[in-house]
Amino acid sequence: MRNYILADNQELTRYALESLLQKEEENVVFRAFDRAGLVELLREYENAVVILDYTLFDFADEEQLLIIAERFNLSDWILISDDLTPQFMRRVVYSSHQFSVVFKDGPLSEVRDALNAVNRHTRYLSQRALETIIIQQQEEETPNILTQTETEIVKSIALGKTTKEIAAERFSSIHTVTTHRKNIFRKLGINTAHEAVKYALRAGLIDPSEFYI
């Protein structure tokens, strides 16, 4: 018997994964809806398999994720998302062998392969994840320079403004701001707004007195 913790706040994906896991009668499936709930379940089921969409969960950055994985070192993790930055994947995969990586737009066979792998306590990296990590490793590190517009939007994000608020003050559409946001995250190699705040502080875009972490 294996215990699974579904930490994915996308309802359709969570339902599909739950249905897949429950085909094996001995499997026990739990749900976690935030980081605190996930930790509570891991305290009770330390050797569980965690299936996590990091981009939809309330982790501030990958450091928090790695700390929890290290704390519960008997657990296995399958990261399943629409998209993860190459920098994030490299950091997580190089830091711990507990993590497997698949993508939601990949074939179902990859999810099954990942589940089979973690049940043997081995890691599984989908072809896309593996290629992305290799390419990132081979590329020269070059500074990612934001445009003036992107810099202004990073500052607004860091000050806690919503996409709707940023669009209104810039007389732009929400779609345009969302596109800028995706480009900014890609250029900076980040996944969350909290990471954008840390970048803005390091880059001197906002005064520390304006924002309290």
Side-chain angles (χ1 to χ4, degrees):
M1 183 185 76
R2 196 77 196 267
N3 295 314
Y4 294 85
I5 301 173
L6 292 183
D8 188 330
N9 285 325
Q10 191 173 63
E11 187 174 1
L12 184 60
T13 304
R14 189 173 63 240
Y15 176 79
L17 289 169
E18 195 168 39
S19 298
L20 179 64
L21 293 170
Q22 289 179 337
K23 286 183 178 180
E24 300 291 334
E25 292 184 3
E26 64 270 22
N27 289 339
V28 180
V29 182
F30 303 93
R31 293 181 179 182
F33 296 97
D34 55 28
R35 182 164 44 89
L38 174 58
V39 170
E40 284 300 315
L41 284 169
L42 282 169
R43 284 177 180 156
E44 189 169 356
Y45 307 101
E46 292 186 346
N47 65 340
V49 176
V50 179
I51 304 177
L52 168 71
D53 187 336
Y54 172 82
T55 62
L56 297 180
F57 235 60
D58 60 338
F59 285 98
D61 52 33
E62 69 267 23
E63 191 65 34
Q64 280 191 343
L65 175 63
L66 290 168
I67 289 170
I68 292 175
E70 183 179 3
R71 178 181 174 187
F72 300 100
N73 57 16
L74 297 179
S75 62
D76 294 292
W77 298 66
I78 298 175
L79 301 179
I80 177 168
S81 297
D82 289 317
D83 199 16
L84 292 168
T85 65
Q87 294 88 345
F88 170 85
M89 283 191 284
R90 281 189 64 195
R91 173 77 193 286
V92 171
V93 168
Y94 287 178
S95 297
S96 172
H97 286 278
Q98 292 170 258
F99 291 95
S100 298
V101 182
V102 295
F103 290 94
K104 289 183 177 179
D105 61 356
L108 183 60
S109 60
E110 289 187 341
V111 177
R112 290 197 176 101
D113 288 344
L115 290 170
N116 290 333
V118 298
N119 281 324
R120 300 190 302 271
H121 299 288
T122 59
R123 177 160 65 193
Y124 178 85
L125 299 177
S126 70
Q127 186 67 24
R128 174 181 164 190
L130 187 58
E131 290 176 354
T132 301
I133 291 170
I134 291 172
I135 290 171
Q136 173 66 20
Q137 185 175 354
Q138 291 174 341
E139 287 179 348
E140 288 186 0
E141 293 294 332
T142 55
N144 292 309
I145 301 174
L146 301 181
T147 66
Q148 181 62 35
T149 296
E150 289 169 343
T151 299
E152 292 169 359
I153 290 176
V154 167
K155 181 175 180 180
S156 295
I157 293 172
L159 292 174
K161 296 179 181 178
T162 66
T163 300
K164 184 177 181 180
E165 289 170 337
I166 296 170
E169 70 181 15
R170 298 187 62 82
F171 303 101
S172 299
S173 69
I174 292 176
H175 174 74
T176 298
V177 174
T178 299
T179 299
H180 281 307
R181 182 188 175 103
K182 288 180 179 178
N183 289 336
I184 290 164
F185 281 27
R186 174 180 54 81
K187 286 184 177 183
L188 298 180
I190 61 177
N191 292 285
T192 67
H194 187 87
E195 291 171 307
V197 172
K198 293 200 294 186
Y199 167 82
L201 287 168
R202 288 195 302 267
L205 299 181
I206 58 173
D207 190 307
S209 63
E210 296 180 89
F211 187 90
Y212 298 92
I213 297 179

